[in-house]
Amino acid sequence: MYETIQSPVNYGGLQLKNRIILAPTTFGLSDEEYFEKMRRIAEGGCAMIIVGDVPVGKSTFEKSLFDKKGFAYYQKLTEIAHSNNCRICAQLHQSDSNMLAMLKYVPGVLTKRISMQELRPLLNNEVAPYISKLSVKKIKKIIDGFGKAAVLAVKAGFDMVQVHGDRMCGSFSSAVFNKRTDEYGGSAENRARFAVEAVKAIRSRLPELPIDYKLAVRQENPHYGNAGVLEEELGIFVPMLVDAGVTSFHVTLANHSSLEDTIPPANHPYFKGQGCFLKFCDEVRKYTDKPITGVGGLTDPDFVEEQLASGRITCAAMSRQLLADPAWPNKVAAGQCKEIHRCVRCNKKCLGGLQQHQGTRCIYEKR
């Protein structure tokens, strides 16, 4: 039973022991607690951990591969994964937030007068002018950073890199934020240029490295997401990304709207069903035969097995479910599905904890 979930797969050039992946997640925890959480998830049997938001340059606010302390931090993560027969992927990203504009909000965040939920729309309002006015010289430097970061990621022990298709890649892709009139703006082909060149910067340095792409899809009717790629533009973006060197796709809803949309609770008005973002995988599949990872409220082994066995998706990514029960893959393999702590998509301690500056946790955790 659950043969497909447990079956190994060649995921864009990387061999995975099964089909379950930890989706990139922001945790906001101490290093010690984060390492322990990653250890439990790796021990729980998932095939690969995707470490979210690895910056492509030096960073004041995030752990960076470009300094000794940050490099050692990522080395520790790769050691934790590999010691538990788990692959690990670095999600390379560049923030699309205007750092100078952000500084005016720092005092409010530090004193907790501004919650993460309140900060989000404030930062989103800064994206369009920042992206549209960014100099070509600065753009080229950031793009080159993707290549340099990928080299450092491999040195730190990562098996794969994922280009974060939200953040700056997503904002360049979106006409909502990208108002440029040069070669990086206007047509869909031009708006795809930043992401395509970021992938090429990696591929030119690392010809054999598997490159995953987090493809953030923007939906209209009803409107959800502001960054990312419009559904009707996937036929332009996907082939360009494949030609640039992408070997697999991680498909989800575009960000830069309410976090309750991209991390939807069980009572979400539109994305309340299990596998709520898999319809975007169906659309991407029209334009590529590369492996596709689906995500979105995946909790039930029977449902996940059906999606994988049908070929609808190649792998299933989970975040909240692996927080609720890191041993989900092992329990499925052992026929202990009734013992799984199912994520109920309440968002109380995961998204809620992050928004309240308490870290991403779960209602099942004992503290």
Side-chain angles (χ1 to χ4, degrees), residues 294-326:
V295 68
L298 298 173
T299 64
D300 178 58
D302 291 333
F303 181 84
V304 173
E305 174 70 19
E306 181 181 350
Q307 308 314 305
L308 293 168
S310 69
R312 188 181 190 188
I313 54 176
T314 311
C315 291
M318 304 172 179
S319 177
R320 289 175 293 178
Q321 177 54 63
L322 291 180
L323 292 179
D325 195 336

Side-chain angles (χ1 to χ4, degrees), residues 238-357:
V238 172
M240 289 180 69
L241 289 166
V242 171
D243 288 345
V246 168
T247 58
S248 57
F249 288 94
H250 182 109
V251 182
T252 188
L253 176 71
N255 215 318
H256 289 72
S257 56
S258 171
L259 277 171
E260 284 77 6
D261 294 335
T262 48
I263 309 173
N267 63 352
H268 190 278
Y270 191 85
F271 297 113
K272 59 186 176 183
Q274 185 161 187
C276 54
F277 300 143
L278 297 188
K279 71 188 193 87
F280 300 131
C281 297
D282 299 336
E283 296 180 45
V284 172
R285 176 56 72 207
K286 297 174 184 176
Y287 307 108
T288 184
D289 60 358
K290 299 294 184 184
I292 293 175
T293 289
V295 68
L298 298 173
T299 64
D300 178 58
D302 291 333
F303 181 84
V304 173
E305 174 70 19
E306 181 181 350
Q307 308 314 305
L308 293 168
S310 69
R312 188 181 190 188
I313 54 176
T314 311
C315 291
M318 304 172 179
S319 177
R320 289 175 293 178
Q321 177 54 63
L322 291 180
L323 292 179
D325 195 336
W328 190 101
N330 282 347
K331 288 179 179 179
V332 169
Q336 299 171 341
C337 293
K338 291 183 179 180
E339 298 178 23
I340 291 173
H341 294 296
R342 297 283 185 91
C343 171
V344 295
R345 298 174 66 186
C346 65
N347 281 3
K348 289 181 180 179
K349 293 293 184 179
C350 49
L351 178 57
L354 187 66
Q355 291 174 327
Q356 295 164 27
H357 307 280

Side-chain angles (χ1 to χ4, degrees), residues 139-197:
I139 290 171
K140 298 293 187 184
K141 182 179 179 181
I142 292 170
I143 287 170
D144 189 55
F146 277 87
K148 292 178 178 178
V151 170
L152 289 171
V154 171
K155 288 181 179 178
F158 284 97
D159 303 294
M160 170 182 259
V161 297
Q162 180 187 86
V163 174
H164 198 328
D166 248 329
R167 301 291 196 269
M168 188 167 280
C169 286
S171 292
F172 266 94
S173 300
S174 171
V176 174
F177 293 126
N178 186 345
K179 307 298 182 183
R180 302 179 69 94
T181 57
D182 61 3
E183 67 269 33
Y184 289 97
S187 68
E189 290 83 357
N190 281 359
R191 285 183 279 111
R193 191 182 303 274
F194 180 91
V196 165
E197 291 184 357

Side-chain angles (χ1 to χ4, degrees), residues 62-80:
E62 300 163 301
K63 296 287 195 306
S64 172
L65 287 161
F66 291 82
D67 63 66
K68 289 184 178 179
K69 187 176 180 180
F71 188 86
Y73 170 88
Y74 289 117
Q75 273 189 316
K76 177 70 173 177
L77 284 174
T78 63
E79 290 166 3
I80 289 171

Side-chain angles (χ1 to χ4, degrees), residues 9 13-18 20-22 42 46-51 77-78 80-90 157-160 210:
V9 65
L14 181 66
Q15 191 70 15
L16 301 181
K17 65 182 180 183
N18 63 45
I20 306 303
I21 294 172
L22 173 67
C46 75
M48 182 164 68
I49 289 170
I50 303 177
V51 178
L77 284 174
T78 63
I80 289 171
H82 291 156
S83 66
N84 289 283
N85 190 29
C86 179
R87 298 287 197 169
I88 187 165
C89 171
F158 284 97
D159 303 294
M160 170 182 259

